[in-house]
Amino acid sequence: MASATTALSVAALLKVFPLVVIPAWVRGRQRAAGSVIALAAVLVLSVPFFVQDPIAWRTFHEANFSAPTGGMSTGNYGLVYLIHELASEYDVQWVMSDWQVFASALRAGVLGLTAALVVLARSRDLIIGSSVMLLSHFVSYFHVWEH
C-alpha cells in the first residue's frame, strides 16, 4: 500500500486529476487510508503556497475547476466541446446563455454519477474502478486536445 499511496501522492502533486481515482480507493480499508494520506500530502504541500500567493490560487482554480470561456475551437475534441458546438449551432439558449454553469454542472454530474457507480459496484477491482474514474474525468473535462 505504501508504494501505491506514494505514487498517488506524487501523481496528484504533478497534476490534480489523479485524485479522481479516490472513489475506487475507498472500497478497501488500506486503500481508503492511502487516499487520505495522498490528499493530506497534497494539502500540506500546496496550501501554504496558495495562502502565500492568492493570485496563484485563483489561476490554479480557474485552470482546473472552472469551465473555459475560451478554447472552444478546432482541436478541442472532447465531449464538452461537441456539446458546445451543437448547442451553438442549434441555438440552444439554456445551454449557451450560461455556458460556465452548464459545463461545470455537466462535469460534476458525470464525475458524481460515476463515483457513485464505482463505490456501489460489486467489483472491488482497483484497476477497473480507477480506470472508470479516469475515463469519466477525460470524458467530462473541458479541454481535450488532439495533441
Side-chain angles (χ1 to χ4, degrees):
M1 179 198 61
S3 62
T5 301
T6 302
L8 180 60
S9 300
V10 170
L13 288 169
L14 292 173
K15 293 272 191 177
V16 177
F17 80 86
L19 293 176
V20 300
V21 302
I22 287 177
W25 279 51
V26 299
R27 300 292 304 269
R29 186 169 287 163
Q30 286 183 323
R31 293 187 307 218
S35 64
V36 170
I37 292 168
L39 276 172
V42 169
L43 290 174
V44 165
L45 295 170
S46 301
V47 169
F49 171 76
F50 289 130
V51 167
Q52 180 185 357
D53 190 350
I55 293 171
W57 167 252
R58 201 168 315 119
T59 302
F60 171 82
H61 186 271
E62 287 173 8
N64 290 286
F65 301 107
S66 297
T69 52
M72 290 300 174
S73 57
T74 303
N76 182 357
Y77 291 118
L79 176 64
V80 175
Y81 171 70
L82 175 63
I83 293 169
H84 182 273
E85 288 300 296
L86 289 172
S88 179
E89 178 71 24
Y90 294 104
D91 198 31
V92 182
Q93 286 301 312
W94 63 272
V95 172
M96 297 308 294
S97 64
D98 200 345
W99 173 248
Q100 290 268 4
V101 171
F102 176 82
S104 296
L106 176 68
R107 180 156 171 74
V110 168
L111 287 174
L113 179 61
T114 306
L117 291 171
V118 165
V119 169
L120 298 173
R122 281 186 263 173
S123 172
R124 295 196 178 277
D125 188 296
L126 178 62
I127 301 298
I128 293 172
S130 296
S131 297
V132 168
M133 288 307 303
L134 287 168
L135 288 170
S136 71
H137 161 72
F138 287 114
V139 163
S140 66
Y141 196 64
F142 309 119
H143 283 226
V144 181
W145 295 94
E146 84 284 357
H147 56 272

